[in-house]
Amino acid sequence: MAITLIILLLIAGSVIFHFTSVWWFTPLASHWSAIDTTINITIWITGVVFIAVNLFLAYAIYRYRYKAGARADYQPENKKLEGWLLLVTSIGIAAMLAPGLYVWGQFVSPPADATVVEAVGQQWHWRFRLPGADGQLGKADVRASSELNPLGLDPNDPAGMDDLIIDSHELVLELNKPVKVLLRSNDVLHNFAVPQFRVKMDLVPGTVSYVWFIPTVVGQFDILCEELCGIGHFAMRGRVLVKESDDYQQWLAQQQSYRQYQARLAGDPEFGKAHYQVCASCHGAQGEGNQALHAPALAGQSGWYLKRQLRAYQQGLRGNAEGDVFGAQMIAMAQLVRDEQAINHLLAYIGSFNPNLVQAEPGNLHNGQRLYRNCSYCHGRNGEGIFAMNAPMLHSLEPWYLTRQLDYFKRQIRGNHPQDFYGAQMSLMAQSLHSEQDIADVVAYINSLQPKAGLTQGDSNDSER
Amino acid sequence: MTASADIAHQEHSNSFLTKYVWSQDHKVIAIQYGVTAIMVGVVALVLSALMRLQLGFPDQFSFINPASYLQFVTMHGMIMVVYLLTALLLGGFGNYLIPLMLGARDMVFPYLNMLSYWTYLLSVLVLMASFFVPGGPTGAGWTLYPPQAILPGTPGSEMGILMMLVSLGIFIVAFTMGGLNYVCTVLQARARGMTLMRMPLTIWGIFVATIMGLLAFPALLVSAIMMFLDSVAGTSFFMPAIMSLGEQLDHGGGSPILFQHLFWFFGHPEVYIVALPAFGMVSDVLATHARKNIFGYRMMVWAIVIIGGLSFVVWAHHMYVSGMNPYFGFFFATTTLIIAVPTALKVYNWILTLWRGNIHLTVPMLFAIGFIFTFVHGGLSGLFLGNVVIDLPLSDTYFVVGHFHMVMGVSPIMVLFAAIYHWFPKITGRMLHTGMGKFHFWATFVGTYLVFLPMHYLGFLGVPRRYFAMGGTDFIPASAQSLNASITVSALVIAVVQLVFIYNVIWSLRHGKAAGHNPWQATTLEWQTPDTPPKHGNWGPSEPVVYRWAYDYSVPGARDDFIPQNVPDSEVVVTDKLAFAKAGT
């Protein structure tokens, strides 16, 4: 009667696993306790049915196992019994469905006073937008999207000018204040899911969907994309910070309006020249880099990326990890240029440099090309870097620098800071380079992609700006 | 020309080619379908082992990267659902059992039937070829959602997705040829006396599933054609104005959600296209080996028909969080939970069939019991996901993976194994080895439970599916990785155990115990053929006549505990006339 025994064991095992499992709901951090209640009702009803039906199954097998000379009953049907079973089942189903529909009714009706926030997904990043002083979001369309306007705000809609553009993976929400998150995608399907809030909804290009909730716990919560969106799907992470009202207002005051955002990289190379002198001692007069001083080339790198890295050094997101000796040096240097305008001037000056032709290291270009396929989605087919993907130019970086950074990403020396979303993403991707040889090959291939000397450098430099 | 004249003609041209390759015999075609489906299923099994390796032991294997992982996931899912389950249940068992169980000499269109198999084979070859094209097979997930399925951020967007769409198109052509044939055969070629309400539940399941397939697959076909055009001809059926990897595309005006509606209008009935034949076959296995009539036969038939009908109005429960109008949730949650009622009734009736039976714990019976257990589990977890608000936290997590593998992976495969062990003696004339069969059952039954039960709890926790790696996620404890490793170990063990089954099949073909005509002492017509395996034409000189329903087991007053369907009352050896008359068979 092994089968009876095993069924009993599986029932007992399931029950024990259920009650001892450490893998259980993440603690709730929103007002949706009603969702948890509905699940618990369903767990109890289905759990009782699971146990009862299978116990009966096990007993029937045991009780009516084959015996020589025994004979089965002959009973084609029993309408009364079947009627009862139908009735009891229907009651059980209704007991699960009714509360479910009731709570869903609440979920589809956000309160009128909810704060409106827009979350925009784009392979494989989050950006957010909040209404400005006028309290409403301006019109937006992906067709207007560009480097200066990644969310595609309508330039002719005055309502959008004061919208706050959060060009970051991190959104801050106010504690105990209902929030309606409008969901929009610039490319493919994505999904906005925060397990602690119990909410989840797809972002669909061409339309706007929503979720709403009241955050009830101060803290930080991961935003996961839960709709397959391509190879970077698993690395598309964001974060919600829930803060007390005062802290929230403080954060809000620091955010850039759309108007300010458009001017975020405007600078004058003439003013920047003076600021650059201190950089030049390591990075070279023309931003050509210096391996002996462990200073990478800057020429040809896009301004938005250099600015992000400068800020990352200043805020301790980069260069702070144990083992990153050369990054640590840069932390001190980065403190010398803190002013927003000064940085923009500096970047404008660096933007005037022509990238050098980098001497490639030998490597297996065929293997490199194969490996680079996964990199190309973000960094571009020619390693030119794509702003929309938050991916810097690679082709004109020196091989020693690329190698070191890949190694750092892989060992999580870079990209390990909780605030460094972009680095963390690269760290996840770098894990699929399995050996030093792989890294060498992919670096060799990247350097083989640089525009050939003289001919196209001017053009590519223009397009970077 | 009539079918029997056709057959007579073919019997004379006895070359190997016409008999075993270009055969129009439904039994040979069934075996061709079955062997092809199982071979492609082994490919899908290997793919699942590869993805489990990454999940259990991340980044240890240089041949798995984020792109190839998604390709494994996608191809595993599509192969298992369409090319293995649908093909094996309908093309394999449907083909073999419909004429035999109905007392027909063959399908009504034998030539079309042959064409169906070769077209199916072509679809499989196109699908397999996509592993070797530049960029590899598609990694868009088995649901192939646009826009990402045809855009460069998804692996296989160059050629793989197009080959997938073409292969699906060919498969649907094959299915339509086979399906029309099954429906016509059931309606037109039943033996004298075989009324619809005397048909075995296997036939009812296959019959209703086939009708559903004929109605559902066209939705997939049109969506495949539209997506193909979006990809190669610049149309915008499913493509709104969007960017891709930082560039604006020329598309505009299309709707990605339209694809999802079309896909799931096919996709949900597809669940029952697999489930209903399995429901039917397991009913017959249970009745035969419990020596008892199926309990509530008429209710079982109506349940099959009602489930088949309702399954066309529940599709959007796959789309609760898709961004469609959320008010649809009320309707689809209600229809979805209503479908649980006839489904639950079937479960009760299977167990009540065992009640007061005389249960022979043969290998097919063990698998049938395994089916009941896993189906109960998978059906109950479906009540979570069907209830729209509960789907909210659980959708797109491992709870979904656990649920659909339990209900659509493990339980139909339990039935497929039950069916193979049950009908192998008729197909080959030899029994499968019982010891190996029992080992196969225990390892598969317990092993799959150890794989899929824990996944539900990862889902409660909120671990998302289709993730190549979890990376650092605050709410997921490190222990979840240990759980994943243990799931992987179980999965690999089960995969290896399937080799025992394959060995058993090969070994038994030669060395298995001779089966005789009716080793299980079953009532249905396929066991009453004059030859085992049945010859082309099935019935020798005279076709059978049916006198009773399919479940006359242990009829009071009769000497034997089974009365075949083609035995009239006058030929039954009766020991107690009064009791026999009272039973009123």
Side-chain angles (χ1 to χ4, degrees), chain A residues 14 18 23 64 66 71 73-74 76-77 82 89 96 104 142 186 200 202 222 225-226 228 237 373 377, chain B residues 148 152 158 243 296 298-299 321 326 348 356 359 387 393 395-396 449 457 467 470 473-474 552 555 558:
Chain A
S14 306
H18 178 82
W23 308 286
Y64 298 105
Y66 169 74
R71 200 170 170 107
D73 230 18
Y74 186 80
E77 53 193 10
E82 287 175 279
T89 306
M96 291 184 279
W104 185 249
V142 61
N186 273 350
K200 181 178 296 166
D202 280 5
D222 291 295
C225 175
E226 299 200 2
L228 181 55
R237 305 298 176 86
R373 174 186 284 276
Y377 299 121
Chain B
Q148 64 265 39
E158 302 92 333
M243 302 172 80
R298 280 189 295 179
M299 281 286 224
V321 298
Y348 302 145
R356 298 192 173 153
I359 301 168
N387 203 348
S395 186
D396 296 309
Y449 201 66
Y457 289 82
Y467 267 39
M470 274 320 300
T473 308
D474 290 342
D552 265 341
V555 179

Side-chain angles (χ1 to χ4, degrees), chain A residues 1-3 6-7 10-11 14 17-18 21-26 35 38-39 42-43 46 49-50 53-54 56-57 59-61 64-67 70-79 81-82 85-86 89-90 93 96-97 100-101 103-105 107-108 122-124 142-145 186-189 191 195-196 198-202 204-206 209-210 220 222 224-231 233-234 236-237 373-374 377 381 386 388-389 428-429 431-432 434, chain B residues 59 61-62 64-67 70 135 139-141 145-148 151-155 158 240-243 245-246 248 256-257 260 291-296 298-299 321-323 326-327 329-330 333-334 337 340-341 344 348-349 351-352 354-361 369 373 377 380 383-384 387-390 392-397 441-442 445 449 457 460-461 464 466-475 479-480 483 549 552-556 558-560 585:
Chain A
M1 289 329 294
I3 183 76
I6 292 285
I7 290 177
L10 287 181
I11 297 170
S14 306
F17 187 88
H18 178 82
S21 172
V22 295
W23 308 286
W24 194 235
F25 301 157
T26 54
I35 294 182
T38 324
I39 297 182
T42 304
I43 287 176
T46 55
V49 172
F50 174 77
V53 168
N54 285 317
F56 185 71
L57 171 69
Y59 178 67
I61 297 167
Y64 298 105
R65 65 190 184 279
Y66 169 74
K67 293 183 194 96
R71 200 170 170 107
D73 230 18
Y74 186 80
Q75 187 189 29
E77 53 193 10
N78 181 340
K79 285 209 172 112
L81 176 61
E82 287 175 279
L85 287 171
L86 269 179
T89 306
S90 304
I93 296 287
M96 291 184 279
L97 181 62
L101 293 184
V103 178
W104 185 249
F107 184 79
V108 297
Q122 182 158 2
Q123 285 174 326
W124 288 284
V142 61
R143 277 167 289 207
S145 175
N186 273 350
D187 45 28
V188 301
L189 301 172
N191 180 293
Q196 292 89 341
R198 308 286 189 263
V199 296
K200 181 178 296 166
M201 191 56 71
D202 280 5
V204 185
S209 46
Y210 67 89
Q220 58 175 43
D222 291 295
L224 302 173
C225 175
E226 299 200 2
E227 185 63 59
L228 181 55
C229 60
I231 70 152
H233 173 52
F234 71 106
M236 181 168 170
R237 305 298 176 86
R373 174 186 284 276
N374 282 350
Y377 299 121
R381 212 155 277 165
I386 302 177
M389 314 300 289
L428 280 170
M429 299 308 293
Q431 301 308 321
S432 55
H434 284 269
Chain B
D59 299 318
F61 304 94
S62 62
I64 309 174
N65 63 45
L70 289 178
Y145 283 179
Q148 64 265 39
L151 293 180
T154 297
E158 302 92 333
I242 51 171
M243 302 172 80
L245 307 185
Q248 302 277 353
I257 292 187
Q260 298 180 27
R291 314 310 297 162
K292 186 158 171 276
N293 64 281
I294 196 79
F295 184 81
R298 280 189 295 179
M299 281 286 224
V321 298
S322 71
Y327 284 89
F330 294 104
T334 308
L337 266 66
V341 177
Y348 302 145
N349 285 2
I351 300 179
L352 289 170
L354 297 178
W355 187 249
R356 298 192 173 153
N358 191 20
I359 301 168
H360 294 250
L361 287 172
I369 292 167
F373 186 86
H377 196 287
L380 290 172
L383 292 168
F384 288 71
N387 203 348
V388 55
V389 83
I390 301 180
L392 208 52
L394 297 181
S395 186
D396 296 309
T397 68
F441 167 74
W442 289 116
F445 178 52
Y449 201 66
Y457 289 82
F460 283 135
L461 181 61
R466 291 173 166 171
Y467 267 39
F468 169 71
M470 274 320 300
T473 308
D474 290 342
F475 71 89
S479 60
L483 190 62
W549 71 328
D552 265 341
Y553 289 103
S554 307
V555 179
R559 184 195 63 190
D560 300 326
T585 60

Side-chain angles (χ1 to χ4, degrees), chain B residues 38-48 76 79-80 128 131:
Chain B
I38 289 173
M39 278 165 59
V40 77
V42 169
V43 173
L45 185 70
V46 171
L47 291 172
S48 69
H76 165 78
I79 291 174
M80 285 296 194
M128 292 298 119
F131 281 97

Side-chain angles (χ1 to χ4, degrees), chain B residues 121 174 234 256 326 439 496:
Chain B
L121 183 64
F439 172 77
V496 172

Side-chain angles (χ1 to χ4, degrees), chain B residues 329-572:
Chain B
F330 294 104
F331 175 78
F332 285 101
T334 308
T335 54
T336 302
L337 266 66
I338 288 175
I339 213 171
V341 177
T343 312
L345 189 84
K346 294 193 74 74
V347 174
Y348 302 145
N349 285 2
W350 288 321
I351 300 179
L352 289 170
T353 300
L354 297 178
W355 187 249
R356 298 192 173 153
N358 191 20
I359 301 168
H360 294 250
L361 287 172
T362 56
V363 178
M365 187 58 157
L366 289 175
F367 274 104
I369 292 167
F371 159 81
I372 296 177
F373 186 86
T374 51
F375 184 75
V376 166
H377 196 287
L380 290 172
S381 60
L383 292 168
F384 288 71
L385 298 173
N387 203 348
V388 55
V389 83
I390 301 180
D391 185 60
L392 208 52
L394 297 181
S395 186
D396 296 309
T397 68
Y398 269 88
F399 190 93
V400 178
V401 181
H403 160 70
F404 72 68
H405 276 94
M406 203 72 103
V407 81
M408 214 201 161
V410 178
S411 66
I413 284 172
M414 286 282 157
V415 176
L416 278 171
F417 284 132
I420 291 172
Y421 285 95
H422 182 74
W423 277 292
F424 188 85
K426 178 52 61 177
I427 298 169
T428 65
R430 292 186 184 273
M431 308 294 285
L432 282 164
H433 188 269
T434 303
M436 282 191 268
K438 286 194 170 169
F439 172 77
H440 176 220
F441 167 74
W442 289 116
T444 307
F445 178 52
V446 177
T448 48
Y449 201 66
L450 292 179
V451 169
F452 296 113
L453 176 75
M455 283 192 189
H456 294 80
Y457 289 82
L458 289 177
F460 283 135
L461 181 61
V463 179
R465 62 191 280 220
R466 291 173 166 171
Y467 267 39
F468 169 71
M470 274 320 300
T473 308
D474 290 342
F475 71 89
I476 299 177
S479 60
Q481 188 53 49
S482 324
L483 190 62
N484 256 326
S486 90
I487 292 173
T488 295
V489 171
S490 306
L492 294 177
V493 170
I494 303 167
V496 172
V497 164
Q498 303 315 308
L499 293 176
V500 175
F501 165 69
I502 291 173
Y503 177 76
N504 191 355
V505 167
I506 295 168
W507 182 88
S508 301
L509 277 176
R510 213 168 252 278
H511 307 287
K513 208 168 65 177
H517 291 316
N518 192 359
W520 311 120
Q521 304 198 310
T523 56
T524 42
L525 288 183
E526 80 275 24
W527 299 105
Q528 322 306 333
T529 54
D531 307 288
T532 299
K535 293 220 164 72
H536 197 175
N538 295 344
W539 304 106
S542 59
E543 295 178 27
V545 177
V546 172
Y547 297 96
R548 57 189 70 248
W549 71 328
Y551 301 100
D552 265 341
Y553 289 103
S554 307
V555 179
R559 184 195 63 190
D560 300 326
D561 70 352
F562 72 110
I563 309 174
Q565 282 189 279
N566 60 344
V567 173
D569 276 359
S570 58
E571 289 175 22
V572 177

